[in-house]
Amino acid sequence: MSVRSLLREERGKLRDKSKGSPVSRVLKVVLPVIVIAAAVVVIYPRFRSEWPNIASVLLESDKTLLVILLFMQSAIYLFDGSLSYTLLSILERKVQWLHAVRIAILSAISGKILPIVGNTITTYFFYGKLNVKLREVLFVVFSWNILYTVNFLFFFGLALLFAPAAFLRAVHPVGFWIAITVFFGVVAGILILLKNHGRNLIEAAKYLSSAFNVQISVRKVTEFLDNFYEDVRMLGSKKPLAVRALFLSSFYYLSNVVILYFSFVVFHYHPSFVSVILGFNFSTILALITFVPEVPGVTEASMALVFVGFGYPAHIAVLTSVLYRLVSYWVLLPLGAHSYYRLTKDYGRKKGN
């Protein structure tokens, strides 16, 4: 079977997964509505008394820093593309660095249009045109997500341990310690399940399948674990490149947090950087729970809800979440148009030769 046929088959599978069961389709509608409604209920009482300040905050906002933010958001995809380029280098697959950056930009756009699966489908499609094999593309997608998750958990854990006193005074202490317990409990649970080549996960799947009459394919779980450990093995096969990939993933993660931090500073509000990490991670988790994290309104509502819960002024939280969304989304469109034009032109030239 050709690479193109495999790509069509995998895209078909991803589209089927994105449709999901009737229950998942209902949840994709209901959960975002719940998050947005919760944000309105929590934020509105405070926002109502603060909204007269919005005009002056906008007028006094730092326009120069706003322009710098746009350039920072553009530059973030250099880390993203460099990460994919490095992961392909581990497999000794050579592509042009600029192609990797442009594919990263287009994948980011697709992820916002078609949450969860859009970026994966786009990565399949464009790397397939560069004759990158499907298994190699899957390795890049898997490794990218694993490295980002490692950074997400690492910085989240550090931020929880070193949360500033002002943050601790603003949030409910019981809720904070519950969050810490759940976080480290989940991390410990994942490590336990993956221990001994995932034997505990397989046993858990068998138990759930028999005890609760849940349809869990042990074969698919085993295949997933085999692919997981094979990708981990390949990732660690060239340690210098693996370390470089880890640092690039760290820069990509931290760049998102830095952009969010300076989105506050645009409005002359200076939060602690650790609190911004916590807010970024909590809002990401809250948005992911909806299954459609990039749908308009979900990201903004999740972020504003979390930061208001942290004790930030409601109008600042709302303005910052909207600004972050605008910068992280709208900057992509001209970059994506240019990237698509350049990629298709290069592909046409390559095909002509």
Side-chain angles (χ1 to χ4, degrees):
M1 185 180 291
S2 67
V3 172
R4 184 170 295 179
S5 299
L6 284 169
L7 289 172
R8 283 199 296 266
E9 181 180 336
E10 288 299 320
R11 288 198 297 271
K13 290 179 182 179
L14 286 169
R15 280 194 294 269
D16 292 340
K17 288 180 181 179
S18 67
K19 292 177 183 178
S21 65
V23 174
S24 68
R25 289 198 294 270
V26 171
L27 289 176
K28 286 179 181 180
V29 175
V30 173
L31 291 177
V33 172
I34 292 175
V35 170
I36 293 172
V40 171
V41 170
V42 172
I43 295 171
Y44 179 72
R46 303 185 191 182
F47 188 78
R48 184 174 54 182
S49 62
E50 296 175 9
W51 77 265
N53 300 325
I54 290 180
S56 61
V57 168
L58 290 174
L59 289 173
E60 296 170 6
S61 61
D62 191 332
K63 310 300 189 300
T64 303
L65 181 55
L66 177 58
V67 174
I68 294 174
L69 270 182
L70 296 175
F71 282 104
M72 289 173 63
Q73 182 63 48
S74 302
I76 195 175
Y77 298 105
L78 299 179
F79 296 127
D80 192 358
S82 296
L83 174 55
S84 296
Y85 178 84
T86 302
L87 293 171
L88 286 170
S89 297
I90 291 175
L91 303 177
E92 298 183 355
R93 170 63 67 174
K94 301 298 181 183
V95 299
Q96 291 185 26
W97 176 75
L98 274 177
H99 283 169
V101 172
R102 287 165 180 157
I103 291 173
I105 293 169
L106 291 169
S107 297
I109 293 175
S110 299
K112 295 181 185 301
I113 296 173
L114 185 60
I116 300 175
V117 298
N119 55 350
T120 306
I121 293 173
T122 301
T123 303
Y124 284 164
F125 177 76
F126 283 104
Y127 275 122
K129 286 182 173 291
L130 294 175
N131 297 321
V132 178
K133 296 178 181 178
L134 178 61
R135 186 67 187 90
E136 295 169 334
V137 174
L138 291 174
F139 169 77
V140 171
V141 172
F142 165 83
S143 300
W144 193 102
N145 284 287
I146 284 294
L147 291 172
Y148 186 83
T149 301
V150 167
N151 280 286
F152 186 93
L153 295 176
F154 174 74
F155 287 107
F156 197 12
L158 281 181
L160 285 171
L161 290 175
F162 297 100
F167 169 81
L168 295 176
R169 287 194 298 269
V171 299
H172 196 285
V174 175
F176 176 73
W177 287 108
I178 288 176
I180 286 185
T181 303
V182 169
F183 171 78
F184 287 104
V186 167
V187 173
I190 292 172
L191 293 176
I192 291 171
L193 288 174
L194 294 178
K195 190 178 179 181
N196 298 325
H197 206 77
R199 188 175 303 168
N200 293 332
L201 180 59
I202 295 173
E203 292 300 322
K206 291 179 180 177
Y207 173 78
L208 292 172
S209 182
S210 60
F212 299 97
N213 196 26
V214 179
Q215 291 184 349
I216 299 176
S217 174
V218 176
R219 180 181 61 82
K220 288 184 178 180
V221 173
T222 304
E223 288 178 357
F224 164 79
L225 288 169
D226 290 340
N227 291 330
F228 174 85
Y229 282 102
E230 175 61 18
D231 286 341
V232 170
R233 186 195 65 77
M234 288 191 295
L235 187 61
S237 63
K238 296 185 178 178
K239 289 183 173 55
L241 288 175
V243 171
R244 184 200 302 175
L246 179 61
F247 275 105
L248 286 168
S249 180
S250 299
F251 292 146
Y252 177 77
Y253 168 85
L254 289 173
S255 295
N256 280 286
V257 178
V258 167
I259 289 170
L260 177 58
Y261 174 82
F262 282 107
S263 295
F264 280 103
V265 178
V266 164
F267 303 113
H268 303 287
Y269 190 83
H270 298 269
S272 75
F273 190 73
V274 171
S275 295
V276 174
I277 291 177
L278 290 169
F280 177 80
N281 283 22
F282 274 121
S283 61
T284 299
I285 293 170
L286 184 59
L288 285 173
I289 289 173
T290 67
F291 300 111
V292 284
E294 297 292 347
V295 166
V298 172
T299 300
E300 299 89 327
S302 301
M303 195 166 284
L305 176 60
V306 167
F307 281 111
V308 168
F310 286 1
Y312 289 26
H315 66 297
I316 295 295
V318 170
L319 288 174
T320 298
S321 62
V322 171
L323 174 60
Y324 178 79
R325 175 68 167 180
L326 289 173
V327 169
S328 62
Y329 182 78
W330 291 106
V331 167
L332 273 173
L333 298 183
L335 289 176
H338 176 73
S339 297
Y340 182 79
Y341 168 75
R342 293 298 306 179
L343 281 172
T344 52
K345 187 176 180 179
D346 290 347
Y347 292 154
R349 188 184 300 115
K350 181 179 178 181
K351 189 175 181 180
N353 292 334

